[in-house]
Amino acid sequence: MTDLSDIPASDLLAMFRSRETSPTEVWADVERRIAAWEPSIAALWAYDPESARADAAAATERWAKGAPKGPLDGVAVTIKELIATKGAPAPNGTAATTLVPAPEDAPPAARLREDGAIIFAKTTCPDYGMLSSGLSSFHKLSRNPWDIRLNPGGSSAGAAAAAAAGLGPLHLGTDIGGSIRIPAGLTGTVGFKPSYGRVPIDPTYIGRVAGPMTRTVADAALMMATLSRPDVRDPTGLPPSAIDWSDFTLDPKGLRIGVMAEAGCGLPVDPDVSAALADCTRALEEAGAVVEPIPGTLTRAMLDGFDHFFRARFWATMSALPDDKGAMVLPYIREWAAGAAVLSGTDVAEAFDQIQAIKAAAAAPFVRFDAILSPVNPQASWPAEWASPIDDPARPFEHIAFTLPWNVGEQPAISINGGFTGSGLPIGVQIVGPRYADGFVLKLAALLTHAVDAQPRWASLHPSAA
């Protein structure tokens, strides 16, 4: 018998409607799942089971009366801790933050709450969200439910670990260079980075988006229907869209798919990852798509420019901290940011020029192609205690060359599970579409997920085995 914790939100809502189960019953199961998993994976922060029980009971009463609060009424959801929720501090993953309760919900949290979702916890992230890791100076070390010796990725580390372990069906992450897709790829989950501005967020920054982290494409689409509603607080927000997020109808015949097997720079791709990409490529070809290999998007100068620009930004942040607070920041982050001390204003301006070059390079393939298929991560994972696959602050972004371009270029991109390594670890495969083609990317992801039949067997994951 399937645990209620393993049922997608889209199915749970139908079960609420038919009275087959209730939010109270589902929450009780999620609470048991959290008690079993959380000591091993440390995915949650500000966990509030008492409020969740009360919210679930209220939602159960509304469903019994046939009057749900909204389309997500009674569904459990977590929110990455650097997204503000009213009354809770946002530590930004670092011990250097002075904890002050947020006065109001940030736009994505507000939309979820408006639609009746039960926000029962925040999820962990590394210092300032600047690592592809669960390593933090504030939170406990987050770990991968597939093997707790391994990294869940980041910076949406806790969200990915929680999704994989079944700590509720819906999770909200953020992504500025791969922080949704990288951990989704390492945990076998679905991570959707929408087009820039599609999901209103506050504060905004270059490439920064919020998006769903779930076990299924359908649940990611379900969240997008809520998250994509406008909010005047985001000056970069897109106008209201007419996307039907529940429509997955797509004829793949004749679609032009560019297959990017190499990123252009960064770490080499492991053979298992290349094999999973090849399997997905064949599946699309057999479905009628026209596939063609294409070169990587990034150059060494582009990746280094991105590195230098963000080092300078964080060096300014670090320099403004009092000495006692600065000493609390994760040493890896301090050492990385300090590399900007020797950069001149001209160096930073030239680094920003490389960000503009990435934007142009990310747009170019869509003159010819409807979508791009690539790996998410060049490797399946790395030790939980490491900040990155090579754990070297002098080379911090060697592993994000497949994900970074689409943040800068503002395209929608999704990670789905495309296969497994020889040792059984999940392998993320990425689908990227043109700017604003969010609905199309989700449709293609649903089609490919069905075609490759690499859905993780969640019931095989158990805390005792981990």
Side-chain angles (χ1 to χ4, degrees), residues 310-378:
F310 275 86
R311 280 185 198 245
R313 176 179 182 249
F314 273 85
W315 181 238
T317 299
M318 298 295 101
S319 299
L321 291 173
D323 289 346
D324 60 331
K325 289 289 188 180
M328 297 179 182
V329 176
L330 196 72
Y332 183 102
I333 294 291
R334 292 204 312 267
E335 185 176 345
W336 166 69
V342 298
L343 298 177
S344 67
T346 299
D347 292 332
V348 177
E350 290 175 349
F352 187 76
D353 287 343
Q354 290 299 326
I355 289 179
Q356 294 301 98
I358 296 172
K359 184 184 288 287
F366 296 103
V367 174
R368 295 183 53 220
F369 295 102
D370 299 303
I372 293 170
L373 188 70
S374 81
V376 175
N377 301 292

Side-chain angles (χ1 to χ4, degrees), residues 445-460:
L447 184 150
L448 183 56
T449 297
H450 177 74
V452 298
D453 192 25
Q455 179 67 14
R457 291 172 175 80
W458 302 113
S460 68

Side-chain angles (χ1 to χ4, degrees), residues 36-383:
W37 269 107
E38 183 61 9
S40 298
I41 60 173
L44 306 180
W45 183 71
Y47 173 44
D48 189 353
E50 290 80 11
S51 291
R53 286 184 214 121
D55 290 344
T60 296
E61 289 186 15
R62 290 191 292 267
W63 280 106
K65 295 174 182 177
K69 180 179 180 181
L72 299 178
D73 199 11
V75 177
V77 63
T78 69
I79 294 180
K80 190 174 180 178
E81 62 94 324
L82 49 69
I83 298 173
T85 53
K86 185 176 181 179
N92 287 312
T94 180
T97 299
T98 299
L99 299 181
V100 178
E104 61 182 356
D105 287 333
R111 298 295 85 77
L112 290 165
R113 207 184 297 274
E114 288 165 2
D115 281 359
I118 298 173
I119 300 172
F120 68 89
K122 309 296 283 287
T123 51
T124 61
C125 69
D127 291 53
Y128 303 103
M130 282 306 297
L131 297 178
S132 299
S133 173
L135 186 63
S136 163
S137 64
F138 180 85
H139 299 292
K140 294 178 181 178
L141 178 64
S142 298
R143 296 175 179 273
N144 193 327
W146 289 86
D147 183 338
I148 62 171
R149 297 169 298 180
L150 298 179
N151 216 295
S155 63
S156 303
L167 312 188
L170 304 182
H171 308 272
L172 180 69
T174 63
D175 193 317
I176 203 169
S179 289
I180 287 174
R181 291 154 292 153
I182 288 168
L186 298 182
T187 57
T189 55
V190 173
F192 181 52
K193 182 203 81 68
S195 296
Y196 185 69
R198 179 70 72 202
V199 173
I201 194 168
D202 180 31
T204 63
Y205 200 70
I206 296 168
R208 186 174 189 247
V209 299
M213 301 183 72
T214 61
R215 284 182 170 186
T216 68
V217 176
D219 273 4
L222 178 71
M223 288 186 75
M224 284 301 300
T226 292
L227 295 171
S228 60
R229 292 203 303 273
D231 192 300
V232 296
R233 290 175 286 175
D234 185 349
T236 69
L238 296 176
S241 73
I243 297 171
D244 181 353
W245 298 101
S246 64
D247 180 11
F248 292 102
T249 306
L250 179 66
D251 184 357
K253 292 183 177 62
L255 285 178
R256 299 164 300 168
I257 310 293
V259 179
M260 187 181 294
E262 300 290 342
C265 60
L267 294 177
V269 178
D270 282 356
D272 282 344
V273 176
S274 296
L277 180 67
D279 288 343
C280 291
T281 300
R282 278 193 298 273
L284 288 175
E285 201 165 22
E286 289 169 0
V290 178
V291 301
E292 180 181 329
I294 60 173
T297 305
L298 281 187
T299 65
R300 184 79 254 170
M302 291 174 186
L303 188 58
D304 288 346
F306 182 88
D307 178 17
H308 292 166
F309 181 80
F310 275 86
R311 280 185 198 245
R313 176 179 182 249
F314 273 85
W315 181 238
T317 299
M318 298 295 101
S319 299
L321 291 173
D323 289 346
D324 60 331
K325 289 289 188 180
M328 297 179 182
V329 176
L330 196 72
Y332 183 102
I333 294 291
R334 292 204 312 267
E335 185 176 345
W336 166 69
V342 298
L343 298 177
S344 67
T346 299
D347 292 332
V348 177
E350 290 175 349
F352 187 76
D353 287 343
Q354 290 299 326
I355 289 179
Q356 294 301 98
I358 296 172
K359 184 184 288 287
F366 296 103
V367 174
R368 295 183 53 220
F369 295 102
D370 299 303
I372 293 170
L373 188 70
S374 81
V376 175
N377 301 292
Q379 299 175 327
S381 194
W382 49 91

